[in-house]
């Protein structure tokens, strides 16, 4: 059950790497005279309007149009991943890594795709390579932690989250990742303390407030849990999830 809890939280635990970045402009043109950057803008506009098929097609064409532009390749891979084309995004990045060297930004993108594709062991190795050249890369630290949690190596993951927090103190997203990892280790009170500084933050993202509510419920504090959840979960769903935490949260 613990693995299912983490799987549900995983898309939110990657610290924004796949955040949408739709850009204005462009049209449905697919003819001569369009360069890689133009095709990329069309792809982003199509994605923003909900035309995923056109977006995927244009991201692919943009990547093929400018193979030596690593920054454009990265944006194309991100776009493909956002639109569910994880295999295609991974293939694109691996090809560019062979051609342009082991760039940390491309490696970081590949590692995130490997996590989303259910390949945590590969992702751990990829993020380790990033950290070998950039030991204080906060994003790589956090995302390697996510991979380690998926591998049930929670203590190692928590060390990385704490290192990231030392570099980015009081970051709510990193604190949330740490709390989830502690929760999976069965350390409910420590998980609660990791999120306690954000309890009264009105701008707190909903996912973190829900986690706070779940932790309060696991401690038997139903009133505080309901206040934090504010209808986000039904009482039945909350009871089921609380039971899963109490009985399976420490599974390794």
């Amino acid at each position: 059950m613990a693995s299912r809890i983490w799987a549900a939280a995983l898309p939110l635990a990657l610290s924004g790497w796949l955040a949408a970045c739709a850009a204005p402009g462009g049209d449905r043109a697919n003819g001569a005279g369009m360069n890689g950057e133009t095709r990329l803008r069309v792809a982003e506009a199509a994605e923003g309007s909900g035309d995923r098929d056109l977006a995927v097609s244009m991201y692919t064409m943009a990547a093929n149009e400018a193979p030596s532009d690593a920054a454009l390749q990265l944006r194309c891979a991100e776009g493909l991943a956002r639109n569910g084309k994880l295999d295609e995004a991974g293939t694109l990045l691996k090809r560019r890594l062979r051609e342009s060297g082991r760039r940390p930004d491309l490696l970081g993108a590949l590692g995130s795709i490997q996590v989303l594709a259910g390949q945590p062991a590969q992702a751990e190795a990829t993020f380790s390579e990033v950290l070998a050249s950039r030991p204080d890369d906060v994003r790589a630290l956090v995302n390697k932690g996510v991979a380690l949690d998926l591998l049930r190596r929670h203590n190692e993951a928590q060390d990385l989250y704490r290192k990231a927090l030392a570099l980015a103190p009081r970051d709510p997203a990193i604190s949330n990742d740490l709390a989830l990892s502690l929760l999976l280790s069965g350390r409910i009170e420590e998980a609660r303390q990791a999120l306690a500084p954000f309890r009264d933050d009105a701008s707190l993202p909903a996912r973190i407030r829900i986690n706070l509510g779940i932790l309060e419920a696991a401690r038997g504090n139903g009133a505080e849990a309901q206040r934090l959840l504010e209808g986000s979960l039904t009482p039945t769903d909350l009871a089921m999830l609380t039971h899963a935490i109490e009985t399976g949260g420490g599974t390794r």
Side-chain angles (χ1 to χ4, degrees), residues 205-215 228-229 232-233 241:
R207 68 183 185 275
I208 301 179
R209 189 167 297 279
I210 288 172
N211 288 339
L212 275 165
I214 291 169
L215 287 167
L228 289 163
L229 291 169
S232 299
L233 293 177
L241 188 51

Side-chain angles (χ1 to χ4, degrees), residues 55 92 147 179 184:
L92 187 158
L184 288 172

Side-chain angles (χ1 to χ4, degrees), residues 155-186:
N155 290 338
E156 295 173 67
Q158 290 153 26
D159 288 342
L160 293 180
Y161 297 138
R162 290 190 175 98
K163 182 174 180 179
L165 283 169
L167 296 166
R170 291 181 60 84
D171 183 293
I174 302 172
S175 297
N176 187 57
D177 292 343
L178 173 59
L180 285 169
S181 184
L182 290 165
L183 177 61
L184 288 172
S185 301

Side-chain angles (χ1 to χ4, degrees), residues 18-175:
L18 293 177
C21 58
D27 53 33
R28 297 184 65 94
N30 191 29
M34 295 180 71
N35 60 24
E37 183 64 34
T38 303
R39 294 185 194 280
L40 179 61
R41 290 199 297 271
V42 173
E44 292 171 337
E47 181 180 350
S49 68
D51 191 341
R52 298 182 65 177
D53 289 341
L54 177 61
V56 167
S57 174
M58 296 305 287
Y59 280 128
T60 301
M61 294 178 70
N64 292 334
E65 189 79 25
S68 63
D69 187 336
L72 183 143
Q73 298 297 312
L74 180 58
R75 291 165 66 190
C76 289
E78 291 173 344
L80 289 169
R82 281 196 304 273
N83 287 278
K85 300 297 183 180
L86 295 178
D87 288 344
E88 291 85 344
T91 298
L92 187 158
L93 288 168
K94 289 174 184 176
R95 184 166 63 246
R96 298 311 173 220
L97 284 164
R98 287 195 299 269
E99 295 170 353
S100 63
R102 309 297 286 179
R103 288 180 48 132
D105 52 353
L106 297 178
L107 282 167
L110 176 61
S112 296
I113 288 171
Q114 288 168 332
V115 169
L116 290 173
Q119 301 169 343
Q122 294 93 319
E124 184 211 353
T126 301
F127 287 123
S128 293
E129 187 173 349
V130 176
L131 291 167
S133 60
R134 294 182 178 179
D136 292 336
D137 187 318
V138 172
R139 179 173 292 180
L141 287 167
V142 172
N143 287 348
K144 182 178 176 181
V146 172
L148 288 169
D149 270 320
L150 287 169
L151 293 168
R152 301 187 179 186
R153 292 160 58 184
H154 303 308
N155 290 338
E156 295 173 67
Q158 290 153 26
D159 288 342
L160 293 180
Y161 297 138
R162 290 190 175 98
K163 182 174 180 179
L165 283 169
L167 296 166
R170 291 181 60 84
D171 183 293
I174 302 172
S175 297

